[in-house]
Amino acid sequence: MTAIPLGHLLILGAILFSIGLVGVLTRRNMLVMLMSVEVMLNAVNLTLVAFSRYRGWTEGHVLAFFIIAVAAAEAAVGLAMVLSVFRLKQTVYIDDLKLLKR
Amino acid sequence: MSSELVIFYVLAAGAVGFAIAMLLPPLGKNPIHSALSLIGSFFCLAALYAQLSAHLLAALQIIVYAGAVMVLFTFVIMLLNLAPDEIQPLKVTTTKVVGGVLALFIFGKLLTAIGLAAAGAVPVELVEGQGYGTVKVIGRMLYSTFMVPFELASVLLLVAAVGAVVLAKRSLSYVDRPAPPPAGLNQLANSPDQGGHDETHGDPGHH
């Protein structure tokens, strides 16, 4: 029997998700944006774990497992893209990537 | 207030505090400080998972997130090696204000949804011998009910690994070149791609 109310866990998940969202929307550094996406994925994981704890199910843990796998793949490909963009443009700031704007 | 709840508040404050420190100055200005702050947030979340009896996920959180993913992040940040004057200052623009307001709006929406979902929720009692959240239970489920998604996840990771190598490779013709051209030609060949030129000085023994 856990003493933590479900609402507390869900609100923590919502706060973390919003922090990640603020990071993606407001920061212009590609590396920090990718990190913010990781925060958002972690918030979702926390919500899944909280719900499965309250239901006594294991399916939520399996889903969180898959989210971790996808997040690892996303980080690997995203960072490779940041690297190749940096090699091409010498910048990690998305404001400097305006080739289509001209 | 029970001790379990106190631990929860400490961990939650840690997770949120480190995540905020990732984005705001003074820590948020430098990407490497952001990454280290994010590792702290991940550790707090891992402890929270352990508190919720998700033992496998707590271990995975530390091994995969705080270990593999964040090592990759710090590795790339140090590889790019941005000079202090290349790190742009954080300034408030209209886009950022709109982004912040949008995030606040979504947070409000989430709160109302949580109010509905969490009302009167009572946790089930965990049976001692069932091994809730252990490797055995989750592994059995992964290899029976979730067999196909599990295999697809492994294919996804393989594709991501190959894709990362292909994306991060300098160029394919670069590998086939048997010997480096003379210095003058080298300058000419690298002039459209200044990044490659910069890095050739890093490991002269390789070429």
Side-chain angles (χ1 to χ4, degrees), chain B residues 31-50:
Chain B
I32 197 80
H33 294 158
S34 292
L36 293 177
S37 174
L38 189 57
I39 293 174
S41 182
F42 285 165
F43 266 98
C44 289
L45 278 173
L48 272 175
Y49 291 163

Side-chain angles (χ1 to χ4, degrees), chain B residues 74-121:
Chain B
T74 44
F75 191 79
V76 168
I77 292 168
M78 291 181 179
L79 195 67
L80 296 183
N81 195 16
L82 292 177
D85 58 312
E86 277 183 87
I87 295 173
Q88 294 177 0
L90 306 176
K91 49 185 187 293
V92 179
T93 59
T94 325
T95 348
K96 290 186 178 181
V97 173
V98 171
V101 170
L102 191 66
L104 264 182
F105 174 73
I106 289 176
F107 180 59
K109 280 288 177 198
L110 282 176
L111 281 190
T112 53
I114 286 167
L116 292 176

Side-chain angles (χ1 to χ4, degrees), chain A residues 8 26 38 42 52 87 93, chain B residues 9 42 61 88 96 132 168:
Chain A
H8 286 38
T26 62
E38 302 290 337
N42 263 285
S52 36
R87 201 167 285 143
Y93 292 93
Chain B
Y9 281 130
F42 285 165
Q61 174 84 5
Q88 294 177 0
K96 290 186 178 181
Y132 176 80

Side-chain angles (χ1 to χ4, degrees), chain A residues 50-81:
Chain A
F51 271 124
S52 36
R53 174 65 190 82
Y54 266 68
R55 287 288 183 177
W57 291 343
T58 314
E59 279 85 350
H61 292 192
V62 175
L63 197 47
F65 174 87
F66 286 131
I67 290 179
I68 289 179
V70 171
E74 172 252 319
V77 175
L79 286 172
M81 283 167 70

Side-chain angles (χ1 to χ4, degrees), chain B residues 10-182:
Chain B
V10 171
L11 291 175
V16 172
F18 277 123
I20 291 177
M22 179 189 89
L23 295 176
L24 293 180
L27 282 186
K29 270 194 290 193
N30 194 332
I32 197 80
H33 294 158
S34 292
L36 293 177
S37 174
L38 189 57
I39 293 174
S41 182
F42 285 165
F43 266 98
C44 289
L45 278 173
L48 272 175
Y49 291 163
Q51 212 184 3
L52 289 169
S53 324
H55 309 293
L56 174 65
L57 280 182
L60 276 182
Q61 174 84 5
I62 290 182
I63 296 170
V64 177
Y65 265 119
V69 171
M70 289 322 288
V71 164
L72 202 61
F73 266 102
T74 44
F75 191 79
V76 168
I77 292 168
M78 291 181 179
L79 195 67
L80 296 183
N81 195 16
L82 292 177
D85 58 312
E86 277 183 87
I87 295 173
Q88 294 177 0
L90 306 176
K91 49 185 187 293
V92 179
T93 59
T94 325
T95 348
K96 290 186 178 181
V97 173
V98 171
V101 170
L102 191 66
L104 264 182
F105 174 73
I106 289 176
F107 180 59
K109 280 288 177 198
L110 282 176
L111 281 190
T112 53
I114 286 167
L116 292 176
V122 178
V124 293
E125 290 286 345
L126 294 183
V127 183
E128 196 57 51
Q130 263 181 1
Y132 176 80
T134 54
V135 184
K136 188 179 174 185
V137 170
I138 295 176
R140 187 162 285 162
M141 194 166 256
L142 276 176
Y143 278 101
S144 57
T145 321
F146 294 94
M147 187 72 198
V148 176
F150 182 71
E151 296 301 333
L152 285 178
S154 63
V155 172
L156 174 78
L157 285 173
L158 177 69
V159 171
V162 174
V165 170
V166 169
L167 276 172
K169 220 176 180 62
R170 216 158 286 165
S171 72
L172 287 173
S173 59
Y174 191 85
V175 179
D176 299 331
R177 200 181 297 160

